[in-house]
Amino acid sequence: MYLQKMFSCSQILARPNAMQTFIRAASQGKNPSSSPFLTLHAVRQWSNVPFFTVPLARAHGKSFAHRSELRQAKRIVVKLGSAVVTRGDECGLALGRLASIVEQVAMLQNQGREMMIVTSGAVAFGKQRLRHEILLSQSVRQALHSGQNQLKDMSLPVLEARACAAAGQSGLMALYEAMFTQYSTCTAQILVTNLDFHDEQKRRNLNSTLHELLRMNIVPIINTNDAVVPPPEPNSDLQGVNVISIKDNDSLAARLAVEMRADLLIALSDVEGIYDRPPGSDDAKLLDTFYPGDQHSITYGTKSRVGIGGMEAKVKAALWALQGGTSVVIANGTNPKVTGHVITDIVEGKKVGTFFSEVKPAGPTVEQQTEMARSAGRTLASLEPEQRSEIICTFADLLTERKDEILSANKKDMELAVSTGCLSPPMLNRLSLSSSKLNSLSIGLRQIAVSSQDSVGRVLRRTRVANKLELEQITVPIGVLLVIFESRPDCLPQVSALAIASGNALLLKGGKEAANTNRILHELVQEALSIHGVKDAIQLVSTREEVEDLCRLEKMIDLIIPRGSSQLVRDIQRAAKSIPVLGHSEGICHVYVDHEASVDNAIKIIRDSKCDYPAACNAMETLLVHRDLLRTPLFDQIIDMLRTEHVQVHAGPKFASYLTFSPSEVKSLRTEYGDLECCIEVVDSMQDAIDHIHKYGSSHTDVIVTENEATAEQFLQQLDSACVFWNASSRFADGYRFGLGAEVGISTARIHARGPVGLEGLLTTKWVLRGEGHTVADFSEQGSMTYLHENLPVAQVLPGHRTTS
């Protein structure tokens, strides 16, 4: 314990060489408490290694090209705009918002990063303080003058900003110190003006002080010295790479970031980022990434309610910093939904705010791809059914005609996956393509082509509402689909064909392990789409977009369909808060062998359900056996078959209790193994089996093996899984095997689509009403018309009635 007293870090800077004295004393092992400007409580020992450090190091001079690289940022400047720091009434600070920002900065500092804050707020803090003092002074004078306690209305004088800043600086800093102390983090205050950057000696002193503070794990809090700074001169900044006048905290943060060779500047304001036109105006679009030159196509709005910088000033300052080698993100620091994690989200590379980059991608952004897909998708939906069918058949032909190219690309993916060891055997199985797989895919696509003849524009219901007023319910495409799939390149042709048949636009995001295969398959589907001019209706996202970022495009994507592991599905369901997700998180499928089961049927069904394709979501994971079958020849044959097929067996609790030497007991009865493993559990009855499945299953596919029809029917009726089978393998739960041609996935949801989702599951409906000047007033008590609501015969796809979404 070096010191018992606590002093302000700013006091260290107030004395010449005080900090250097402290560092020298500590490094020599001496007790530095002889210095009156040191603190144990407020200053963390600069030599201590943080509890969690991030291996961060890069050569400064070039900004990051992509958001994902922001994780490497070591030195970070956080600029807090006036609108972020101050309350809505501009008199005082937004304490809750400020506290959450301090927590994030402290957390990043404790990870081993070097954090600096450029803050506003002194004027607002001082205004609150001066108003209080003036009101108090006026009330005392008025009471003394009138000799009574009744006070008249008091008017406040206009408070000069520099005076407010002078009164507020100490309070603002005291608040920061108190907040950061809660995280054992020290702060130091530095006030600067333009002269500190233009005077070479002062600039070197400032640079040296900041480096010493960062070396000691202290967070510098910097602000313009608004108590003495002159009013800003218009159009006087940004005169070159090495010149930027400090006329507001935006330009200060930019100059400081470049001067200190910071990796990242985070500028928090009261808007989500940079828009192509004033936020709130029609068709205003938030720019995910801003490139040099984009400023010429931007229409700026008014400044925020407080502060002296506007969005144009922020963009200019950001571009200046970018040119100096510092990456920049401008984001919203006032939104209560994101304020608590906005800074950490940016550092983690998430799509928050507007990221400034000097490197333009070679192709379109994912937002542009989505717009292209939606536009072409509308044209696709308006095609005749025969034209959509022709596209699918052309694609089916290309799968077989160009199979050598496809298999060659797939071989590259397989070799890379094997050499890196990044995939498990079941995942490698899914990644692999063969001639037979391509032939099966081609056959399935042709089935879809046939079914597409009667899809979009099909009339489901016709009603005569009243005389000459008819209503129709018609099938239409959902809109833009996003399908995310892992190591399953055969998924791409299937979902593409279903999207074409249903007239939907499609965005595909495949796993990087199948990049080569996905690329050639996407080229082929676009070649097929080109025959009717709708090539852009299906897009492959090949940029470095995180899945979580794609799930935030709620204004552009109408439905997300995940195809992959249960973890992937859960992650997407969690991330897609505003977009519907169609799918299942797990495939925990059961086979129940009743005491009246056929030996041959039981052996065949169990073998096929578990061993045909263990990695599939419709593979058996739990085998339920009626207790009367224990120690019977049937049970022995089941165990022998599983052993022959090299299936590892885990015993459920009841099954383990029957055995003297049991297999390893199962850790959880809700396990999807995805491999040659399964759980065996004993049940007392068919009803016991149903109860077990309802408790531990995932509502995917469940099977009963029995010769008793009454028992089977009871099982089929009472079980509420998406697929329920009697004396048939669970592996039949598949769109192709159901005759759907293919599937986009299996849904365990209770609404819209359930089970294998084929063409029908990708359609929604709209209502079309045809009248002749009808009004609701015509049907009132005083009106001349009455409702009929007569059901009419449904005529399929009526000429001239086909509509699109």
Side-chain angles (χ1 to χ4, degrees):
M1 303 290 287
Y2 284 160
L3 195 65
Q4 302 304 318
K5 296 183 180 179
M6 184 178 79
F7 295 87
S8 163
C9 291
S10 57
Q11 289 178 290
I12 299 176
L13 298 178
R15 289 285 297 268
N17 302 321
M19 188 173 299
Q20 289 81 354
T21 302
F22 168 67
I23 296 172
R24 188 162 51 250
S27 63
Q28 292 172 358
K30 299 177 182 178
N31 185 340
S33 61
S34 56
S35 169
F37 303 103
L38 306 179
T39 165
L40 170 69
H41 188 65
V43 182
R44 300 189 323 162
Q45 294 182 28
W46 63 272
S47 57
N48 284 353
V49 177
F51 175 73
F52 171 68
T53 57
V54 183
L56 305 165
R58 76 180 188 101
H60 189 82
K62 193 172 181 64
S63 60
F64 295 119
H66 193 270
R67 282 183 184 269
S68 61
E69 297 172 348
L70 296 180
R71 298 185 182 98
Q72 304 171 30
K74 166 73 173 177
R75 184 169 293 171
I76 302 171
V77 175
V78 178
K79 182 262 176 181
L80 305 179
S82 300
V84 176
V85 177
T86 60
R87 296 195 317 235
D89 61 5
E90 303 175 24
C91 291
L93 304 180
L95 297 180
R97 192 184 302 150
L98 205 56
S100 67
I101 290 171
V102 165
E103 181 178 17
Q104 295 172 77
V105 171
M107 185 182 77
L108 294 171
Q109 178 83 1
N110 291 332
Q111 288 179 356
R113 304 179 199 269
E114 298 173 344
M115 305 298 296
M116 292 179 280
I117 294 178
V118 175
T119 182
S120 301
V123 173
F125 199 92
K127 184 184 291 186
Q128 180 188 37
R129 183 177 175 184
L130 291 180
R131 286 184 63 176
H132 176 77
E133 294 295 330
I134 292 171
L135 285 171
L136 182 61
S137 176
Q138 285 183 346
S139 64
V140 171
R141 285 200 306 270
Q142 190 179 105
L144 291 174
H145 181 73
S146 64
Q148 54 185 347
N149 293 327
Q150 293 182 352
L151 304 180
K152 299 178 181 178
D153 291 339
M154 293 177 291
S155 60
L156 287 172
V158 177
L159 298 175
E160 204 272 332
R162 286 194 288 272
C164 291
Q169 285 289 1
S170 59
L172 178 64
M173 191 60 204
L175 181 63
Y176 273 119
E177 283 190 351
M179 287 183 172
F180 274 104
T181 296
Q182 303 303 311
Y183 304 97
S184 301
T185 301
C186 177
T187 59
Q189 181 184 31
I190 298 180
L191 300 176
V192 298
T193 65
N194 234 340
L195 294 176
D196 296 316
F197 288 96
H198 293 293
D199 184 288
E200 185 61 27
Q201 184 59 47
K202 289 184 177 181
R203 191 179 65 83
R204 283 201 299 266
N205 290 343
L206 174 63
N207 191 295
S208 175
T209 299
L210 287 170
H211 275 93
E212 291 293 347
L213 289 171
L214 294 177
R215 184 181 176 190
M216 294 177 66
N217 282 338
I218 295 173
V219 177
I221 298 180
I222 306 105
N223 193 1
T224 53
N225 192 351
D226 293 329
V228 299
V229 73
E233 298 178 18
N235 304 319
S236 63
D237 62 341
L238 303 168
Q239 298 164 7
V241 175
N242 298 316
V243 179
I244 179 172
S245 63
I246 307 304
K247 71 174 190 177
D248 55 37
N249 277 339
D250 295 312
S251 51
L252 169 60
R255 179 64 188 258
L256 182 74
V258 173
E259 189 75 29
M260 292 298 295
R261 299 164 66 89
D263 300 310
L264 173 62
L265 167 59
I266 299 174
L268 298 183
S269 182
D270 58 352
V271 293
E272 302 301 322
I274 309 299
Y275 288 81
D276 60 352
R277 61 195 68 192
S281 60
D282 291 341
D283 301 324
K285 291 183 180 179
L286 177 66
L287 302 179
D288 169 62
T289 308
F290 195 103
Y291 304 100
D294 286 356
Q295 65 269 30
H296 303 304
S297 60
I298 300 295
T299 303
Y300 298 102
T302 58
K303 297 190 296 184
S304 63
R305 58 178 173 81
V306 288
I308 59 175
M311 190 53 69
E312 186 172 8
K314 290 175 175 55
V315 170
K316 288 181 178 180
L319 290 172
W320 191 90
L322 185 70
Q323 195 173 357
T326 297
S327 295
V328 183
V329 175
I330 294 178
N332 193 339
T334 63
N335 187 338
K337 293 183 179 179
V338 300
T339 300
H341 47 83
V342 60
I343 297 173
T344 51
D345 280 355
I346 290 171
V347 176
E348 288 172 9
K350 295 181 180 178
K351 268 195 173 180
V352 179
T354 299
F355 171 66
F356 284 72
S357 175
E358 293 184 295
V359 182
K360 279 198 171 185
T365 65
V366 66
E367 290 84 1
Q368 290 170 333
Q369 284 186 290
T370 308
E371 290 289 353
M372 292 160 59
R374 183 180 291 279
S375 177
R378 288 181 174 133
T379 305
L380 173 67
S382 68
L383 296 177
E384 294 295 325
E386 295 78 13
Q387 293 175 304
R388 290 194 296 274
S389 177
E390 184 183 1
I391 292 172
I392 299 170
C393 288
T394 301
F395 186 29
D397 291 339
L398 290 171
L399 287 179
T400 53
E401 292 171 4
R402 309 268 285 275
K403 68 178 180 181
D404 290 342
E405 293 178 52
I406 300 170
L407 296 177
S408 175
N410 186 245
K411 184 181 178 182
K412 291 179 183 177
D413 290 329
M414 289 292 293
E415 289 173 348
L416 184 61
V418 171
S419 64
T420 57
C422 60
L423 296 182
S424 63
M427 295 292 278
L428 280 173
N429 239 350
R430 293 185 176 189
L431 177 61
S432 175
L433 289 181
S434 63
S435 294
S436 60
K437 269 191 179 181
L438 292 176
N439 288 334
S440 296
L441 281 171
S442 181
I443 294 171
L445 263 56
R446 294 183 187 283
Q447 289 180 340
I448 297 172
V450 173
S451 61
S452 70
Q453 298 285 337
D454 182 24
S455 56
V456 181
R458 187 171 78 256
V459 180
L460 301 178
R461 176 179 177 176
R462 293 182 66 215
T463 303
R464 181 178 289 115
V465 178
N467 187 33
K468 296 185 178 180
L469 184 65
E470 291 190 6
L471 178 70
E472 291 178 343
Q473 185 183 20
I474 298 176
T475 58
V476 294
I478 290 174
V480 179
L481 313 177
L482 168 62
V483 177
I484 303 170
F485 55 101
E486 293 177 322
S487 61
R488 281 284 296 270
D490 58 332
C491 173
L492 193 152
Q494 293 176 342
V495 298
S496 296
L498 287 169
I500 295 167
S502 57
N504 284 292
L506 178 61
L507 212 60
L508 293 159
K509 173 66 173 174
K512 60 183 179 181
E513 63 278 355
N516 293 298
T517 313
N518 289 338
R519 190 177 302 111
I520 181 64
L521 290 172
H522 179 248
E523 289 174 3
L524 296 181
V525 72
Q526 286 204 319
E527 184 177 331
L529 287 164
S530 297
I531 65 176
H532 287 296
V534 287
K535 173 184 175 183
D536 291 335
I538 297 180
Q539 299 283 330
L540 179 66
V541 179
S542 55
T543 56
R544 298 164 67 177
E545 299 293 330
E546 298 290 345
V547 168
E548 187 173 341
D549 293 330
L550 292 172
C551 293
R552 291 176 177 167
L553 300 175
E554 66 273 1
K555 294 182 179 178
M556 311 178 82
I557 294 171
D558 301 295
L559 179 67
I560 300 177
I561 305 171
R563 296 289 304 271
S565 66
S566 57
Q567 186 60 51
L568 171 72
V569 179
R570 282 194 296 268
D571 289 344
I572 291 172
Q573 289 172 333
R574 191 180 303 112
K577 297 177 182 177
S578 303
I579 308 176
V581 177
L582 189 153
H584 64 281
S585 58
E586 294 172 308
I588 304 175
C589 303
H590 296 75
V591 172
Y592 164 58
V593 182
D594 187 56
H595 66 290
E596 296 182 80
S598 157
V599 174
D600 290 342
N601 284 346
I603 297 297
K604 283 165 47 181
I605 290 169
I606 294 169
R607 177 188 284 114
D608 192 72
S609 295
K610 179 72 258 185
C611 307
D612 176 65
Y613 191 2
C617 64
N618 57 12
M620 181 194 78
E621 304 294 5
T622 298
L623 173 62
L624 300 177
V625 179
H626 194 286
R627 68 177 180 183
D628 290 350
L629 293 178
L630 294 178
R631 300 183 180 88
T632 65
L634 171 56
F635 184 74
D636 292 340
Q637 289 180 51
I638 292 173
I639 297 299
D640 289 341
M641 181 272 295
L642 292 174
R643 186 182 298 114
T644 302
E645 298 290 343
H646 305 291
V647 177
Q648 182 180 355
V649 172
H650 303 279
K654 286 186 179 180
F655 181 42
S657 68
Y658 283 94
L659 304 174
T660 305
F661 301 100
S662 70
S664 61
E665 191 165 338
V666 69
K667 295 180 180 178
S668 171
L669 291 168
R670 291 191 182 94
T671 302
E672 182 179 16
Y673 297 99
D675 206 344
L676 286 172
E677 293 181 71
C678 74
C679 167
I680 297 181
E681 182 60 309
V682 174
V683 292
D684 296 332
S685 63
M686 182 270 295
Q687 188 60 51
D688 194 18
I690 290 175
D691 293 341
H692 178 100
I693 294 170
H694 282 162
K695 184 174 183 179
Y696 299 108
S698 61
S699 301
H700 192 294
T701 301
D702 298 291
V703 177
I704 183 172
V705 183
T706 185
E707 296 303 303
N708 188 311
E709 183 176 355
T711 301
E713 288 300 327
Q714 189 177 354
F715 182 91
L716 299 177
Q717 294 301 318
Q718 291 189 16
L719 200 61
D720 61 2
S721 299
C723 300
V724 190
F725 300 162
W726 172 26
N727 286 346
S729 167
S730 63
R731 293 279 291 122
F732 279 106
D734 176 82
Y736 173 75
R737 298 183 180 106
F738 278 10
L740 305 179
E743 66 184 33
V744 293
I746 293 181
S747 171
T748 55
R750 305 282 174 177
I751 58 174
H752 182 57
R754 200 158 189 241
V757 180
L759 180 57
E760 292 294 326
L762 298 182
L763 295 171
T764 185
T765 64
K766 71 176 178 183
W767 298 88
V768 178
L769 186 66
R770 296 180 177 87
E772 294 182 3
H774 292 74
T775 66
V776 171
D778 294 334
F779 296 86
S780 65
E781 290 184 3
Q782 294 76 29
S784 58
M785 303 192 73
T786 58
Y787 290 108
L788 300 176
H789 294 144
E790 297 175 354
N791 290 330
L792 300 175
V794 174
Q796 299 306 321
V797 192
L798 302 176
H801 287 188
R802 186 176 298 110
T803 57
T804 63
S805 63

